[in-house]
Amino acid sequence: MSNNMDIKNICCLGAGYVGGPTCSIIALKCPDIKVTVVDLSKERIAQWNSDKLPIYEPGLDDIVKERRGKNLFFSNDVENAILEADLIFISVNTPTKTLGNGKGRAADLKYVEGAARMIADIAKSDKIVVEKSTVPVRAAESIAKILSANRKPGVSYQILSNPEFLAEGTAVNDLLNADRVLIGGEETPEGQKAIEKLCSIYEHWIPRKNILTTNTWSSELSKLAANAMLAQRISSINSLSAVCEATGADVSEVARAVGLDSRIGSKFLQASIVASYWQQVIDMNEYQKSRFTAKIVQSLFNTVSGKRICILGFAFKKNTGDTRESPAIHVAKTLLDEGASLKIYDPKVEESRIYEDLTHPLICEEPEKVRKLVSIHQDAYTASEGTHALVICTEWDEFVTLDYNKIYAGMMKPAYIFDGRKILDHQALIDIGFHVQTIGRKLHRPISNRCWSSNPTIN
Ligand SMILES: NC(=O)c1ccc[n+]([C@@H]2O[C@H](COP(=O)([O-])OP(=O)(O)OC[C@H]3O[C@@H](n4cnc5c(N)ncnc54)[C@H](O)[C@@H]3O)[C@@H](O)[C@H]2O)c1
């Protein structure tokens, strides 16, 4: 690729939640660019080439159908895709380390390193390598070291940082209408040229004023800072929800009152049993999850052993099938540890995924027990049939409009609902006869319905 030519051919390493949607949008908006998304997983690529994509994102199916086979390709042929590409996105996973130094906190960069080594082994011409995965600051330096130490004679690389800000469940809209695109690169003329080339791709649909260009380290750090500050906001509202439950205040009212202050803003002030990534605030979010499960056990007369509990929602949020760090895993694990049996339904999470999550060695020591105590169901009605309590773990829209009279009729009495996402009409449920608990708010039942309760004021 000569320095002045436009990008004609893009390769993306990693066909996951970021690589798949991002490249589909680029293919949609840049019909003259050939985009090839490659992955080491044969199964994932086969799914991208089938009618049932490996990830669920509203609007994504239509875009993939429109561009696939024209200028959008999914392949396991990593070698050819790298050889042909002018620009390569690294969108591989960066999970939290489970071993060694930084275990449970630091990002494991082994897949990023593997991707860089693959590029160095294969490439025979100049490439712009774009770090899209979320990485610690100065990871681009490590990528550059691997590339330069292993490069073929005459091949040169420019490394850019272009972190992704999409959120699962709204990925298509986030990509089409990004608040900003951030591109960091070297402050050399070559670095600036590479930045311009990546800018010209995004300029097909993002206004130039929304494309920020910075040095590499500012770009890397901005992504981490944005994650940290979002997680802090979630922690703040989670901590307030505990205060609300103790005082009689309502966290939704408090969030609205506080969020109307334009210096603060209303986004990310919804209390829920969310999980979070950032260590400084993780404890607060862990506390929120344990508080919620403790409330379930306490309400069910302090024991759930032998009881059947329905879990509605297993994804970490609505409109995705992704379960990584989902609070449902924590809720299910705690209830299983307490001896409950679980009936689980999620509209988009596969049965095999749920069993894999619950039998993961970090979650359980007895996989046979999980298989015995957990059953997966195809709808909320069969999942709730015969259960003592129903727990909302994901805020799927369809859970709001279920026929709760029908659900109530099929449940054991007293019938409990624990709304971990604050999405249901609690008064309507209380009127049906349910005992309702939620986050950040005390709910009272009329005295006549309370006589059986172990707790005279909170049900
Ligand atoms: N998921 C999100 O909402 C989100 C949002 C912003 C940023 N990110 C970041 O983007 C990165 C990717 O996240 P994701 O959710 O798409 O991950 P993912 O696990 O869904 O997908 C990553 C894919 O990369 C593949 N892979 C690993 N090594 C490879 C290699 N050498 N060559 C080709 N493929 C390889 C894996 O098989 C996997 O399919 C992570 O760093 C993540 O932190 C994710």
Side-chain angles (χ1 to χ4, degrees), residues 14 16-18 39 44 92-94 118 133-134 164 168 324:
Y17 287 87
V18 167
D39 204 289
R44 219 166 202 190
V92 302
N93 37 329
T94 47
M118 271 171 36
S133 297
T134 304
E164 186 47 64
E168 286 176 35
R324 288 174 294 183

Side-chain angles (χ1 to χ4, degrees), residues 285-301:
N285 290 327
E286 288 300 323
Y287 168 61
Q288 186 81 339
K289 284 186 287 174
S290 339
R291 224 161 48 78
F292 183 65
T293 37
K295 193 185 263 192
I296 298 174
V297 176
Q298 185 197 5
S299 302
L300 295 174
F301 311 101

Side-chain angles (χ1 to χ4, degrees), residues 83-387:
L83 282 172
E84 283 184 358
D86 308 315
L87 179 146
I88 302 171
F89 284 111
I90 299 184
S91 300
V92 302
N93 37 329
T94 47
T96 308
K97 281 180 79 171
T98 52
L99 291 172
N101 194 15
K103 176 181 166 183
R105 276 182 294 115
D108 190 339
L109 291 185
K110 69 180 173 201
Y111 301 105
V112 172
E113 188 183 328
R117 288 185 189 280
M118 271 171 36
I119 296 170
D121 282 351
I122 296 168
K124 293 186 180 148
S125 58
D126 297 352
K127 310 283 175 200
I128 297 174
V129 175
V130 185
E131 171 189 84
K132 197 164 247 319
S133 297
T134 304
V135 288
V137 183
R138 297 200 85 91
E141 197 170 36
S142 313
I143 295 176
K145 272 186 194 152
I146 292 172
L147 291 174
S148 66
N150 297 286
R151 74 171 159 207
K152 304 211 166 44
V155 175
S156 74
Y157 295 102
Q158 275 301 317
I159 323 288
L160 300 179
S161 158
N162 172 219
E164 186 47 64
F165 293 100
L166 68 77
E168 286 176 35
T170 52
V172 169
N173 186 51
D174 294 347
L175 288 162
L176 287 173
N177 305 299
D179 291 339
R180 74 323 203 171
V181 167
L182 182 55
I183 302 174
E186 279 183 28
E187 284 155 328
T188 57
E190 297 75 28
Q192 295 303 305
K193 266 186 199 145
I195 290 178
E196 277 315 308
K197 284 184 179 170
L198 185 53
C199 281
S200 72
I201 296 172
Y202 284 109
E203 275 179 276
H204 281 80
W205 78 98
I206 302 284
R208 179 73 203 214
K209 68 175 174 38
N210 294 353
I211 305 179
L212 304 184
T213 61
T214 65
N215 78 32
T216 315
W217 323 127
S218 303
S219 170
E220 288 180 334
L221 182 58
S222 299
K223 170 66 185 172
L224 302 178
N227 275 359
M229 293 182 82
L230 287 173
Q232 261 173 7
R233 281 181 76 95
I234 294 168
S235 288
S236 304
I237 201 70
N238 279 348
S239 70
L240 276 172
S241 71
V243 178
C244 287
E245 285 162 35
T247 57
D250 179 337
V251 75
S252 304
E253 292 174 353
V254 174
R256 189 169 139 71
V258 172
L260 282 172
D261 186 326
S262 58
R263 293 166 304 175
I264 297 172
S266 60
K267 287 191 179 158
F268 276 84
L269 282 179
Q270 292 297 323
S272 81
I273 40 166
V274 290
S276 175
Y277 176 76
W278 227 252
Q279 192 57 45
Q280 296 97 306
V281 290
I282 257 173
D283 291 349
M284 182 54 75
N285 290 327
E286 288 300 323
Y287 168 61
Q288 186 81 339
K289 284 186 287 174
S290 339
R291 224 161 48 78
F292 183 65
T293 37
K295 193 185 263 192
I296 298 174
V297 176
Q298 185 197 5
S299 302
L300 295 174
F301 311 101
N302 255 329
T303 176
V304 292
S305 174
K307 289 182 178 152
R308 284 182 299 278
I309 298 180
C310 167
I311 292 195
L312 291 188
F314 205 79
F316 85 101
K317 64 191 256 192
K318 74 173 179 181
N319 292 337
T320 179
D322 194 355
T323 61
R324 288 174 294 183
E325 301 196 36
S326 174
I329 300 174
H330 174 92
V331 170
K333 176 192 163 31
T334 313
L335 295 174
L336 286 169
D337 287 348
E338 293 271 348
S341 62
L342 304 180
K343 298 179 75 182
I344 301 178
Y345 165 65
D346 185 286
K348 290 289 171 197
V349 180
E350 303 285 340
E351 175 166 342
S352 54
R353 174 81 264 152
I354 297 178
Y355 280 121
E356 270 169 44
D357 286 339
L358 294 180
T359 53
H360 189 281
L362 289 176
I363 298 293
C364 103
E365 283 158 7
E366 298 171 88
E368 324 74 53
K369 189 175 125 191
V370 170
R371 300 222 164 246
K372 213 172 103 209
L373 291 177
V374 175
S375 60
I376 315 296
H377 297 263
Q378 295 312 309
D379 64 75
Y381 299 106
T382 45
S384 56
E385 182 74 36
T387 58

Side-chain angles (χ1 to χ4, degrees), residues 5-81:
M5 270 175 39
D6 286 340
I7 304 290
K8 287 280 169 226
N9 201 311
I10 291 177
C11 160
C12 174
L13 301 180
Y17 287 87
V18 167
T22 308
C23 286
S24 300
I25 300 294
I26 294 177
L28 179 74
K29 293 293 179 181
C30 311
D32 294 339
I33 299 180
K34 181 181 175 191
V35 184
T36 308
V37 189
V38 294
D39 204 289
L40 301 176
S41 159
K42 288 212 157 41
E43 191 192 348
R44 219 166 202 190
I45 291 299
Q47 288 173 318
W48 278 111
N49 283 320
S50 75
D51 284 340
K52 190 164 185 298
L53 303 185
I55 67 170
Y56 173 69
E57 278 296 337
L60 185 61
D61 280 25
D62 289 346
I63 296 170
V64 171
K65 271 186 203 133
E66 190 180 327
R67 299 317 311 166
R68 197 172 52 191
K70 297 193 178 94
N71 67 329
L72 175 64
F73 301 90
F74 296 94
S75 165
N76 291 116
D77 186 352
V78 177
E79 182 162 352
N80 263 319

